[in-house]
Amino acid sequence: MMGVTKAPEVWAAGVPIVPFVNWFTEIENEDPVLQQSDMATMGDPKKNKALFEDRSPIFFVDKIKAPLLLLAGGHDPRCPKEETLQVVDAVKKRGGVAEYKIYENEGHGFAKVEIRSTRIRGWRIF
């Protein structure tokens, strides 16, 4: 997501897999252990607001030029599916192209062989 938002002229298409998009909501919605880890690494989102905004692609969605195919796990403790849906909504509101697939029985990444092969076929079609 950072690539298509910070260097949009480089990308013909984007396929973010379990994307980080908004560090503010990420920390609110993620697993509590991961929440503590992120806060130890990046600090408090209220005290480091500028850093969190700069590292959150959702604030730069207006720069995206490429169509997107976002893939997320329905039970992802690191990047909840709500993160993906934020991008889809924001891109579509400004008239861009954003398709998505939520694999409800997956977490952070995709372990099932049939999902991995479907994902690869989807990339080629997209």
Side-chain angles (χ1 to χ4, degrees):
M1 286 303 307
M2 291 300 281
V4 296
T5 58
K6 296 283 187 154
E9 67 284 348
V10 175
W11 304 96
V15 185
I17 300 169
V18 296
F20 281 86
V21 298
N22 183 336
W23 276 103
F24 296 99
T25 57
E26 179 81 27
I27 286 179
E28 281 178 25
N29 295 320
E30 71 184 350
D31 178 89
V33 173
L34 296 170
Q35 189 178 65
Q36 292 303 312
S37 174
D38 286 340
M39 289 181 73
T41 304
M42 291 182 58
D44 184 312
K46 292 178 182 151
K47 294 178 183 172
N48 296 330
K49 186 177 179 187
L51 174 68
F52 277 74
E53 286 176 352
D54 186 59
R55 302 298 191 275
S56 296
I58 196 70
F59 296 107
F60 307 98
V61 167
D62 61 319
K63 294 181 177 10
I64 295 174
K65 296 177 182 176
L68 301 177
L69 170 61
L70 297 101
L71 307 174
H75 298 287
D76 189 339
R78 168 54 88 190
C79 300
K81 63 185 175 185
E82 292 79 11
E83 298 296 297
T84 293
L85 298 175
Q86 283 185 64
V87 174
V88 171
D89 290 344
V91 168
K92 286 184 174 184
K93 278 181 185 171
R94 57 175 264 297
V97 176
E99 297 178 29
Y100 71 99
K101 174 69 177 158
I102 307 291
Y103 295 100
E104 290 298 339
N105 295 319
E106 290 285 358
H108 190 70
F110 310 117
K112 296 180 178 136
V113 173
E114 63 273 13
I115 290 175
R116 282 192 246 154
S117 63
T118 300
R119 181 183 74 191
I120 292 168
R121 279 195 304 273
W123 290 346
R124 283 187 268 166
I125 293 167
F126 185 72

